[in-house]
């Protein structure tokens, strides 16, 4: 497409330049010729008054010499024989025109131009007092007829070349502006077709391509959302198996001893492990579903408001005071919307599961130059061992927990080069801080100011707050 546009621009511009430059050059050439012969006519007219008065050779020679053409040896005067000339033809200067051309000019009585050696000659008839016709001949060299024409053609050629080069350059830039977004869109579509669900394209370029990029990114987000929904559905269905498994475990425990009872209990334990594996597999966000392309990401403020609206009904039922801050303007982050929503649900779900009813909590969003910080704070009993809480699968062997809650949050932060820290909040309970980097994914933050420590404050609550189950 790019080179096709360049070729079309080259052809069109060349035709336009030729259509204007060639006629203009011919006009300039004709104007130079007219200028040369107009000057010759003026030189010839300067001898007219003298010829009308006298045909004396000396006076005519002085008149011819007083003109520019005569001084240059390019003027001749041809006077027919009369009594004043002693009955002989009088010729002053060097004749270049033929006798036939002179006779023709005398007969027709008007000026004419004839070709001579290395140029042209203007033949100007002038009436004498005797009634006869004298001919004033002015020689115009070829170089004077074409004076300035070569320069004009060169200028026109230069302007034409400049126009062609400029149009090709502009067409090339326009082609790049059109082709590159199309190539990125085609590449992203190819990547998406190969299973790289994080493929996105920047929404830039011409209006049509921007619309196509927006539609492609929306489609890719929908694909990621559908896959996420499938994973959550698999996890939810697996969770539903926990209740009958619990009944089976209790019934198996009452079977007493014996090979059959031992085999039954072993089968129940194996089934529980398989269910836990299904839950973990379903809820782990696969790398290829991470939206990390140039057009990927979401508005953290919008997602936070949406999730808080979901949890606010339960908070009202339990008498919890809720504070929300920092979501009054859009803040883009390089995290897929479903992943951020899952991380927020994990943190807010922990607040409701592991703090008493009536416990206040807050959610704050802080937007910096290179990172966005999301703080989830509560006034609960706190976490005794934050390091252990952040360890993947730490609670997987207790109370039927999968141990994926904070691990999901940690993966979301680390996919952007950020991290998760647990400390004590100003409300007196736990504060979970998610640091989401706005730079290149995979870059670990170093030396960020204001890091909270993971140590518990002295005198804090000794009760351990649980992790998401």
């Amino acid at each position: 497409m790019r080179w096709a546009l360049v070729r079309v621009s080259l052809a069109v511009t060349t035709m336009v330049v030729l259509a204007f430059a060639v006629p203009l050059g011919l006009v300039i050439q004709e104007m130079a010729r007219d200028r040369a012969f107009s000057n010759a006519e003026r030189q010839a007219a300067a001898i007219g008054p003298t010829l009308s008065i006298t045909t004396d050779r000396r006076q005519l020679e002085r008149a011819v010499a007083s003109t520019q053409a005569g001084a240059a040896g390019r003027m001749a005067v041809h006077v027919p024989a009369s009594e004043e000339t002693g009955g002989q033809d009088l010729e002053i200067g060097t004749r270049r025109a033929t006798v036939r051309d002179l006779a023709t000019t005398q007969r027709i009585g008007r000026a004419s131009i004839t070709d001579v050696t290395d140029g042209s000659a203007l033949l100007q008839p002038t009436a004498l007092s005797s009634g006869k016709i004298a001919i004033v001949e002015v020689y115009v060299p070829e170089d004077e007829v074409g004076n300035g024409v070569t320069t004009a053609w060169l200028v026109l050629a230069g302007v034409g070349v400049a126009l062609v080069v400029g149009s090709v350059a502009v067409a090339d830039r326009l082609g790049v502006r059109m082709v590159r977004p199309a190539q990125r869109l085609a590449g992203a579509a190819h990547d998406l077709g190969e299973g790289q669900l994080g493929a996105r394209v920047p929404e830039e370029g011409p209006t049509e391509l921007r619309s196509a990029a927006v539609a492609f990114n929306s489609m890719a987000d929908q694909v990621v959302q559908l896959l996420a929904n499938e994973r959550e559905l698999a996890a939810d269905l697996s969770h539903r198996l926990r209740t009958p498994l619990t009944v089976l475990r209790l019934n198996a425990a009452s079977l007493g001893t014996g090979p059959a009872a031992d085999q039954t209990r072993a089968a129940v334990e194996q089934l529980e492990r398989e269910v836990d594996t299904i839950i973990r597999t379903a809820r782990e966000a696969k790398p290829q579903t991470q939206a990390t392309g140039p057009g990927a990401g979401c508005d953290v403020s919008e997602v936070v408001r949406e999730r808080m609206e979901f949890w606010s009904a339960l908070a009202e039922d339990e008498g919890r005071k809720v504070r929300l801050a920092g979501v009054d303007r859009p803040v883009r982050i390089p995290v897929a919307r479903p992943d951020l929503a899952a991380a927020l649900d994990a943190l807010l779900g922990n607040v409701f599961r592991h703090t008493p009813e009536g416990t206040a909590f807050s959610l704050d969003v802080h937007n910096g130059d290179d990172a966005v910080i999301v703080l989830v704070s509560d006034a609960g009993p706190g976490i005794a061992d934050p390091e252990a809480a952040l360890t993947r699968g730490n609670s997987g062997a207790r109370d039927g927990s999968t141990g994926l809650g904070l691990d999901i949050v940690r993966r979301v932060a680390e996919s952007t080069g950020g991290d998760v820290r647990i400390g004590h909040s100003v409300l007196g309970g736990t504060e979970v801080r998610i640091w989401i980097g706005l730079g290149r994914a995979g870059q670990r933050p170093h030396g960020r100011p204001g890091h909270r420590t993971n140590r518990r404050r002295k005198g804090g609550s000794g009760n351990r707050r649980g992790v998401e189950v």
Side-chain angles (χ1 to χ4, degrees):
M1 180 185 293
R2 174 184 175 185
W3 296 115
L5 183 61
V6 170
R7 287 194 294 269
V8 170
S9 174
L10 177 61
V12 172
T13 307
T14 301
M15 289 189 295
V16 171
V17 168
L18 291 177
F20 281 93
V22 173
L24 184 59
L26 295 176
V27 169
I28 293 175
Q29 184 174 349
E30 188 64 26
M31 289 176 62
R33 177 182 176 85
D34 291 343
R35 183 178 64 249
F37 284 106
S38 295
N39 182 53
E41 289 178 357
R42 287 195 301 270
Q43 299 286 328
I47 305 299
T50 303
L51 286 173
S52 64
I53 296 174
T54 182
T55 57
D56 181 67
R57 173 181 288 274
R58 291 184 179 178
Q59 292 184 10
L60 290 177
E61 288 178 347
R62 284 197 297 269
V64 169
S66 66
T67 64
Q68 181 180 1
R74 295 185 299 179
M75 179 180 288
V77 178
H78 308 283
V79 180
S82 64
E83 294 181 359
E84 295 179 358
T85 62
Q88 296 180 352
D89 292 338
L90 180 63
E91 193 169 281
I92 299 172
T94 303
R95 179 174 62 82
R96 292 179 174 83
T98 63
V99 174
R100 182 180 178 181
D101 291 335
L102 294 175
T104 301
T105 302
Q106 284 180 336
R107 186 178 69 253
I108 63 179
R110 63 174 182 270
S112 63
I113 298 174
T114 183
D115 293 332
V116 298
T117 303
D118 297 331
S120 302
L122 172 68
L123 303 179
Q124 177 69 49
T126 302
L128 301 176
S129 59
S130 62
K132 296 186 176 182
I133 301 297
I135 303 297
V136 179
E137 177 186 342
V138 180
Y139 170 63
V140 181
E142 190 67 32
D143 57 351
E144 185 174 335
V145 174
N147 185 27
V149 175
T150 302
T151 303
W153 277 108
L154 292 176
V155 171
L156 288 175
V159 172
V161 170
L163 288 175
V164 171
V165 172
S167 67
V168 169
V170 171
D172 181 70
R173 291 299 91 196
L174 290 176
V176 169
R177 185 170 177 265
M178 294 175 59
V179 169
R180 284 184 179 173
Q183 289 176 338
R184 284 194 290 263
L185 182 60
H190 182 268
D191 293 340
L192 187 64
E194 291 186 345
Q196 300 179 24
L197 302 183
R200 300 293 187 278
V201 292
E203 298 170 3
E204 59 187 23
T207 304
E208 295 79 6
L209 291 177
R210 283 202 305 269
S211 300
V214 171
F216 177 85
N217 292 336
S218 177
M219 177 193 68
D221 289 339
Q222 288 294 329
V223 171
V224 173
Q225 181 65 50
L226 290 174
L227 291 178
N229 291 341
E230 291 293 333
R231 293 196 306 270
E232 288 301 321
L233 177 61
D236 291 342
L237 293 176
S238 301
H239 266 296
R240 295 180 184 180
L241 296 176
R242 288 188 178 277
T243 300
L245 280 175
T246 301
V247 176
L248 286 176
R249 187 173 64 249
L250 295 176
N251 291 339
S254 64
L255 291 177
T257 59
D262 293 339
Q263 290 177 0
T264 302
R265 284 189 287 269
V268 171
E269 291 176 0
Q270 177 64 28
L271 185 56
E272 287 182 327
R273 287 193 297 269
E274 294 297 334
V275 169
D276 288 342
T277 301
I278 293 174
I279 295 173
R280 288 189 176 91
T281 302
R283 286 187 173 173
E284 282 184 348
K286 296 182 181 180
Q288 62 267 29
T289 64
Q290 298 290 335
T292 57
C298 67
D299 180 3
V300 63
S301 300
E302 180 182 357
V303 177
V304 167
R305 289 194 299 266
E306 177 186 306
R307 301 320 300 160
M308 284 298 290
E309 181 179 357
F310 173 80
W311 289 98
S312 60
L314 182 58
E316 184 178 355
D317 292 341
E318 295 186 358
R320 298 176 182 268
K321 292 183 179 180
V322 181
R323 184 177 67 86
L324 181 63
V327 294
D328 54 337
R329 61 188 181 90
V331 180
R332 297 290 299 184
I333 59 173
V335 175
R337 185 187 187 94
D339 295 337
L340 179 61
L344 293 175
D345 286 343
L347 294 179
L348 296 175
N350 280 348
V351 173
F352 283 89
R353 289 187 187 94
H354 307 294
T355 61
E357 293 187 10
T359 301
F361 67 95
S362 65
L363 201 158
D364 302 276
V365 177
H366 301 277
N367 183 22
D369 294 334
D370 59 349
V372 171
I373 301 175
V374 179
L375 300 177
V376 179
S377 308
D378 62 56
I383 296 178
D385 191 351
E387 293 289 350
L390 285 172
T391 302
R392 175 179 171 81
N394 177 65
S395 58
R398 296 187 299 274
D399 303 326
S401 172
T402 60
L404 291 177
L406 289 177
D407 186 65
I408 292 175
V409 179
R410 179 178 56 80
R411 283 201 314 274
V412 168
E414 290 181 352
S415 68
T416 67
D419 62 7
V420 176
R421 296 297 178 95
I422 298 178
H424 286 277
S425 71
V426 295
L427 299 178
T430 302
E431 176 187 87
V432 179
R433 182 175 63 174
I434 312 173
W435 186 289
I436 301 174
L438 299 180
R440 187 176 61 189
Q443 291 182 339
R444 298 291 300 163
H446 297 288
R448 291 196 297 262
H451 270 194
R452 296 183 185 270
T453 63
N454 289 336
R455 302 171 185 170
R456 294 183 67 253
R457 290 183 303 182
K458 294 182 179 180
S461 173
N463 296 330
R464 180 186 182 277
R465 176 178 152 189
V467 185
E468 183 267 341
V469 295

